[in-house]
Amino acid sequence: MAAEVSFRCKRTVVSTKPVQPGKFIHPSVLDRTVESNILRLVFYYHFPAPAALGEVTRKLRESLSTVLTAYPAVTGRLQRDSEGHWMIKCNDAGVRMVEATVKGSVEEWLLRVDREEELRLVHWEDMFQNPCFWSTFYVQLTEFEGGGLAIGLSCTHLLADAACATMLVRAWADTTFLGKMLCPPYFHALPPRRITDSQDSATRRRESSDALIEHYKSAIDNIVTPPEIDGCFATLAFDFNDESMRRCTAHQAQWAITPFEALAGLFWVCVGRAQGKPTGPQEMLVCVDARDPLGLHRGFFGNAMVFSPARCAGPMTIEVASKAVHEAAGRVGREAAVDLVEWLTLNGRDPGRGPPVFYGPGLVCADWAGLGSYGAVFEAGVRPARVSCYVGPVIGEGQILILPSPEGGDGSMGRVVMVTLPENQASKLCEEPLLLSYSPTLIMGVKGNS
């Protein structure tokens, strides 16, 4: 299938209005914790009738130029400040756009696509030599000759988390369809730290703050050597409908378990079995959005994801695992999140040592169910058919990304779970009886299983 994607051209799209000269944006301490990672998103669309080749991409290029006037961080370029940290020079350099075509229809593609093929719909180039010429955001528009469109967005995680990347696509969709942005971005600093001296305040921190800070301290202090994995990684996508999710959460009502916590616990146990660990991995890193705890506007543009370790001792069951995830997610409250930002401000890693690793080397599970991906409507009556998300590079045990479901709506508990594991483990996960007992639909699998 890979040979069927034809790349037509690559161009630069700039904003319609120039940015204020001399404007700089400094990434936050949370931004800098994930600067070694890359985000990739793919939005698929069924259009009522095939348009003339190039007509859709022309329209989208024009509306993207309008949107970029509100996103100076997206069109700028990276430079180092006097301390060696990255900053963004807002200079209207623009984003790179790639235009491509693929044979067949989007429906046919979705029936057989796997990780390797899907990533061909999201263009990315690693930084080479001078960062002043490197685009931190890339957009790929892929038209299906048999009808349909894929929009691929990639960016350095340093500048945006998954919520921001989705917000950018939604702003683009609103501008294309409605002629205006319904939710403009907000660029402001994280809450200021309350500690103004260098006194060690560890004794005053609550247990939640201590657990978060201890994990971040370990990641910053240690240079991670990823464990060796046999074979390549594969990504599976499971669609859990409303009924499946209600069954998944029903027997854990006493803990007030959320859909995310229930799914995270289920996959924690099932991945452990696929790894040949019947008692399960004893630790999993839980990634949650801290916008609300930090008092940030929902349109805040920057990283607000916080990593909290979930730990279990002894035999693993769904109930035990879900409760551990519940405790880890609940740890990211107002005081703990602010304490973490304060500690990172005072104790961040020396830029000369390179960025820490948070998406690994153990198993990582991220709660991205609130992204609002299916609100990105570019044309009347045409919602995304499917949205896929990736974080790279993948190291260590793997990743579990819990996303909204295309069938989700008000009151729905439906979710899509994208799991990236070594290929041999992914094949075993597809056959795991405990997972199959909840009747998820496999919407993307390894070759031969999708």
Side-chain angles (χ1 to χ4, degrees):
M1 186 189 299
E4 297 178 359
V5 180
S6 301
F7 297 93
R8 300 204 325 256
C9 68
K10 181 168 69 173
R11 64 181 85 224
T12 300
V13 180
V14 299
S15 59
T16 56
K17 296 180 182 179
V19 72
Q20 177 184 353
K23 182 178 179 63
F24 289 87
I25 295 177
H26 293 266
S28 73
V29 290
L30 290 181
D31 293 329
R32 297 201 294 266
T33 62
V34 289
E35 68 175 81
S36 61
N37 296 108
I38 304 160
L39 290 177
R40 294 178 173 92
L41 285 70
V42 185
F43 291 71
Y44 292 99
Y45 291 88
H46 301 294
F47 284 99
L53 194 63
E55 181 180 332
V56 173
T57 56
R58 178 191 57 78
K59 179 181 179 181
L60 293 181
R61 281 199 310 270
E62 294 173 355
S63 59
L64 180 59
S65 290
T66 301
V67 170
L68 292 177
T69 60
Y71 286 86
V74 172
T75 59
R77 295 294 183 263
L78 290 175
Q79 293 184 1
R80 295 284 190 181
D81 63 17
S82 58
E83 297 180 353
H85 294 298
W86 289 117
M87 62 181 182
I88 311 159
K89 181 179 181 181
C90 304
N91 56 4
D92 294 316
V95 302
R96 301 280 191 262
M97 175 179 284
V98 172
E99 297 175 18
T101 58
V102 63
K103 295 180 180 179
S105 66
V106 68
E107 293 89 349
E108 294 168 336
W109 176 274
L110 289 174
L111 286 174
R112 60 190 184 187
V113 68
D114 63 13
R115 172 188 174 87
E116 180 182 355
E117 293 153 348
E118 188 162 63
L119 289 178
R120 285 180 59 82
L121 304 183
V122 199
H123 183 77
W124 177 254
E125 296 176 11
D126 289 324
M127 185 189 299
F128 179 70
Q129 294 181 344
N130 193 341
C132 294
F133 300 105
W134 177 65
S135 180
T136 56
F137 282 75
Y138 290 85
V139 172
Q140 180 173 328
L141 301 178
T142 305
E143 295 184 81
F144 292 83
E145 295 177 358
L149 175 74
I151 298 177
L153 174 70
S154 60
C155 66
T156 171
H157 209 334
L158 172 68
L159 302 187
D161 58 18
C164 298
T166 302
M167 180 173 61
L168 173 59
V169 177
R170 289 194 61 167
W172 185 10
D174 292 341
T175 302
T176 305
F177 179 36
L178 304 174
K180 61 180 179 180
M181 260 180 280
L182 298 183
C183 184
Y186 287 80
F187 297 91
H188 55 75
L190 296 174
R193 59 186 177 90
R194 295 162 296 172
I195 301 171
T196 57
D197 56 40
S198 59
Q199 180 182 2
D200 183 6
S201 59
T203 57
R204 298 191 292 107
R205 299 189 185 281
R206 296 172 10 174
E207 182 179 347
S208 294
S209 302
D210 288 343
L212 290 180
I213 290 170
E214 183 59 33
H215 171 72
Y216 275 75
K217 183 178 186 300
S218 176
I220 290 172
D221 288 345
N222 299 314
I223 298 177
V224 175
T225 301
E228 293 185 6
I229 297 293
D230 294 330
C232 300
F233 284 96
T235 297
L236 308 171
F238 298 91
D239 192 349
F240 286 77
N241 62 23
D242 193 70
E243 180 183 352
S244 296
M245 285 305 308
R246 292 188 187 282
R247 285 197 291 119
C248 193
T249 58
H251 58 291
Q252 302 185 71
Q254 71 271 27
W255 300 113
I257 295 297
T258 67
F260 164 71
E261 294 159 358
L263 281 176
L266 171 63
F267 276 89
W268 190 356
V269 173
C270 291
V271 168
R273 295 182 179 185
Q275 293 174 334
K277 302 175 182 177
T279 59
Q282 297 304 294
E283 180 170 308
M284 182 173 72
L285 203 55
V286 176
C287 182
V288 297
D289 193 335
R291 280 171 171 77
D292 288 342
L294 287 171
L296 299 171
H297 190 280
R298 297 306 297 175
F300 167 77
F301 198 88
N303 284 280
M305 304 301 290
V306 170
F307 297 85
S308 178
R311 298 186 177 94
C312 286
M316 289 278 285
T317 65
I318 301 177
E319 292 80 7
V320 170
S322 296
K323 183 183 177 184
V325 174
H326 176 75
E327 292 172 350
R331 195 178 294 131
V332 187
R334 167 68 183 176
E335 290 300 318
V338 171
D339 280 351
L340 174 63
V341 170
E342 293 172 349
W343 185 87
L344 286 170
T345 302
L346 291 171
N347 300 277
R349 188 169 186 163
D350 183 344
R353 295 187 60 196
V357 173
F358 281 96
Y359 286 97
L363 191 64
V364 180
C365 185
D367 183 5
W368 289 356
L371 293 183
S373 313
Y374 294 91
V377 177
F378 285 84
E379 186 174 312
V382 184
R383 298 172 69 249
R386 188 190 299 177
V387 179
S388 297
C389 299
Y390 296 88
V391 180
V394 181
I395 64 171
E397 295 185 19
Q399 301 171 358
I400 303 167
L401 307 180
I402 298 179
L403 310 171
S405 168
E407 303 302 324
D410 292 340
S412 172
M413 295 173 65
R415 298 290 188 272
V416 167
V417 184
M418 294 191 70
V419 187
T420 300
L421 298 170
E423 281 187 352
N424 62 326
Q425 296 178 17
S427 297
K428 293 177 182 178
L429 185 64
C430 289
E431 302 171 354
E432 170 54 45
L434 177 59
L435 177 59
L436 297 179
S437 69
Y438 290 94
S439 305
T441 301
L442 181 65
I443 58 178
M444 186 172 75
V446 295
K447 290 184 184 296
N449 288 330
S450 55

